[in-house]
Amino acid sequence: MTAPELTHPLPRTRRRLTPALRWWWMFQRISGVVLVALIFTHLFYNLILGGGVSQIDFGFVAGKWAAPLWQWWDFTMLVLAMLHGMNGMGYLINDYARSKRSRGILHILLGAATAVIIVLGTLVIFTFDPCPAGANPQNLNVPLCQELGKL
Amino acid sequence: MTAVDDAPIAVDEVPTLTVTLRIRRMNPEGNADHAPGEDYWEEFQVEAHATDRLLDALHKVKWEQDGTLAFRRSCAHGVCGSDAMRINARNRLACKTLLKDLNPAKPILVEPIAGLPVEKDLIVDMEPFFASYRQIMPFLMTSGPTPERERLQTPAQRERFEDTTKCIMCAACTTACPVFWTDGQYFGPQAIIGAHRFIFDSRDEGQWDRLEILNDTAGVWKCRTTFNCTEACPRGIEVTKAISEVKRALNTGKI
Ligand code: SF4
Ligand code: FES
């Protein structure tokens, strides 16, 4: 048997990590930590404080989003979670998509889905009408709507 | 007083058991039942002692039942790193795996390590693995005149990279890595371990050349912190931790 032919040690195409990719790498770690704090506070407030899980209904959400704190809280959670998830899925696509074409298509679909959800979610949070006209008052947050003069 | 062993154990008193080995085989030339290159499972039954290692059972198969079975081994004592294989779906060295630790009641699954091309039975082509290792330039790089005596180092400086010097290049870690399986470009944990051993060596001056090579989208950033490598390493090297140290050096610019 002959000794194996040795390949030259530097044949591969070098693709250095660009500053943008490094930024995303850091973002993934930092957003992960921030999300843990945001999400657990969110869960604690919704599911354990007050009336527990049974308190959640239209009126409860209306009451929360009347306060800018919760609007911005939920907005931050939405954006961070979507970007964190998008970046993580993007890593998976890079690892597992076999052809350049399928990789490109999956990245475009992922970006589009992320953009749509962030835009829709933001719209809902900031243009939310707590007291839609003609709704059954049983389903509404009555004190809030009275305060707003809509009931 | 006489020094007498109270209860000498005769050799045959070690309990024997029958184990079934299910071996993943492939013959590039084919045989009577299988086409060339086809891979298939084959079962063998061997009589073994509970104190035997899987390597002993493989030897029994090869020496007494089927001489065509192909696997690598050299030292048979966990030193050379040539007999890494996938045993019951975990990468280990056959020579360091006792049969009694493998639940011999069930067939023991033996496969070649994953992610490298199989040449025959349990033998894989290690060249892609070694090519990655060569890329990180695994040799001492210094400047200035060579000192007449050895290059000195304090115990603390040595401690810094002690763990990664223990690597025996068995490829158990790299072939346990899901990113290595999917993406042929990834260096794999072992090459990063090999670089770590020099990057954190106070006598070496090539740190930034090596870090530059690892600072590649297919380099250290492909690591997803799965910990499969740490779990697989038969030398108990904290592979994932060493990889994180390389990432930290790249992120902070400090070694
Ligand atoms: S780090 Fe451990 S598992 Fe990986 S090649 Fe070295 S000895 Fe084998
Ligand atoms: S044969 Fe040398 S490590 Fe197992």
Side-chain angles (χ1 to χ4, degrees):
Chain A
M1 210 189 141
T2 50
E5 182 93 356
L6 296 187
T7 50
H8 189 274
L10 283 170
R12 49 180 104 195
T13 46
R14 305 236 65 82
R15 289 203 305 140
R16 278 190 85 236
L17 197 80
T18 59
L21 286 177
R22 181 186 305 278
W23 187 89
W24 274 109
W25 192 88
M26 283 302 225
F27 169 82
Q28 193 73 351
R29 268 103 204 128
I30 295 165
S31 62
V33 175
V34 176
L35 276 169
V36 166
L38 288 177
I39 291 174
F40 277 101
T41 312
H42 168 85
L43 291 177
F44 183 71
Y45 186 89
N46 286 8
L47 305 181
I48 296 176
L49 284 189
V53 63
S54 54
Q55 71 188 340
I56 299 180
D57 56 14
F58 186 87
F60 176 76
V61 177
K64 266 185 97 182
W65 279 346
L69 170 73
W70 286 114
Q71 281 188 321
W72 286 103
W73 191 286
D74 286 4
F75 174 74
T76 317
M77 218 159 53
L78 169 76
V79 174
L80 285 185
M82 289 314 294
L83 293 182
H84 183 94
M86 177 190 81
N87 192 37
M89 274 307 283
Y91 287 149
L92 288 180
I93 292 173
N94 285 342
D95 284 351
Y96 289 95
R98 287 179 180 251
S99 69
K100 258 208 154 93
R101 211 173 133 240
S102 60
R103 191 175 291 201
I105 293 174
L106 287 172
H107 273 299
I108 289 172
L109 286 178
L110 178 65
T114 310
V116 167
I117 294 175
I118 290 182
V119 169
L120 280 185
T122 311
L123 272 180
V124 170
I125 293 174
F126 289 106
T127 62
F128 183 74
D129 180 1
C131 314
N136 180 353
Q138 265 191 339
N139 297 329
L140 296 183
N141 189 332
V142 178
L144 175 70
C145 291
Q146 279 166 346
E147 197 183 306
L148 291 173
K150 293 206 182 173
L151 209 70
Chain B
M1 278 262 287
T2 45
V4 175
D5 203 341
D6 300 339
I9 297 177
V11 172
D12 0 305
E13 278 178 36
V14 178
T16 62
L17 46 118
T18 309
V19 291
T20 308
L21 303 183
R22 282 198 79 201
I23 303 180
R24 186 90 175 156
R25 304 199 58 183
M26 188 283 270
N27 189 332
E29 284 151 14
N31 54 26
D33 302 320
H34 299 280
E38 174 194 340
D39 52 27
Y40 56 96
W41 291 96
E42 187 165 353
E43 285 199 8
F44 298 94
Q45 303 245 328
V46 286
E47 284 291 319
H49 296 299
T51 50
D52 279 350
R53 304 153 304 163
L54 182 74
L55 182 66
D56 300 310
L58 287 174
H59 276 155
K60 281 204 155 182
V61 173
K62 185 168 176 71
W63 293 339
E64 295 164 14
Q65 301 185 25
D66 184 349
T68 65
L69 180 68
F71 56 90
R72 284 196 186 99
R73 73 102 174 84
S74 183
C75 67
H77 290 86
V79 181
C80 69
S82 50
D83 63 342
M85 46 188 84
R86 199 169 141 103
I87 301 162
N88 281 352
R90 285 184 51 193
N91 283 0
R92 318 172 196 232
L93 296 177
C95 63
K96 280 185 81 172
T97 307
L98 290 182
L99 289 175
K100 69 175 170 59
D101 297 335
L102 286 174
N103 182 15
K106 283 207 197 139
I108 297 169
L109 303 184
V110 186
E111 295 162 83
I113 45 180
L116 292 168
V118 177
E119 292 191 328
K120 187 181 179 193
D121 294 343
L122 302 174
I123 297 184
V124 296
D125 179 7
M126 300 280 280
E127 184 44 33
F129 170 78
F130 291 131
S132 288
Y133 184 56
R134 285 200 298 277
Q135 288 218 3
I136 55 95
M137 301 184 284
F139 38 80
L140 186 72
M141 291 156 69
T142 58
S143 59
T146 313
E148 282 185 7
R149 305 199 50 197
E150 63 271 52
R151 296 168 201 272
L152 295 181
Q153 187 167 52
T154 65
Q157 286 170 330
R158 162 75 195 190
E159 190 54 37
R160 185 70 193 80
F161 63 98
E162 167 71 19
D163 201 32
T164 44
T165 61
K166 297 188 296 194
C167 176
I168 54 174
M169 309 227 12
C170 65
C173 55
T174 294
T175 58
C177 174
V179 182
F180 182 79
W181 296 337
T182 61
D183 186 307
Q185 286 283 302
Y186 180 41
F187 282 91
Q190 195 285 326
I192 301 169
I193 286 292
H196 179 284
R197 182 248 168 274
F198 287 98
I199 290 169
F200 295 96
D201 185 339
S202 60
R203 299 163 297 185
D204 185 86
E205 291 166 27
Q207 305 95 337
W208 285 104
D209 296 316
R210 295 193 181 86
L211 284 170
E212 184 59 31
I213 292 171
L214 292 178
N215 186 24
D216 187 287
T217 46
V220 79
W221 306 110
K222 271 268 179 196
C223 168
R224 305 275 177 262
T225 331
T226 318
F227 282 94
N228 277 18
C229 48
T230 304
E231 199 189 319
C233 180
R235 304 283 296 155
I237 299 174
E238 293 179 283
V239 185
T240 313
K241 183 172 163 219
I243 296 174
S244 308
E245 288 171 1
V246 174
K247 286 182 197 161
R248 191 173 316 132
L250 278 167
N251 275 330
T252 60
K254 285 200 288 279
I255 290 170

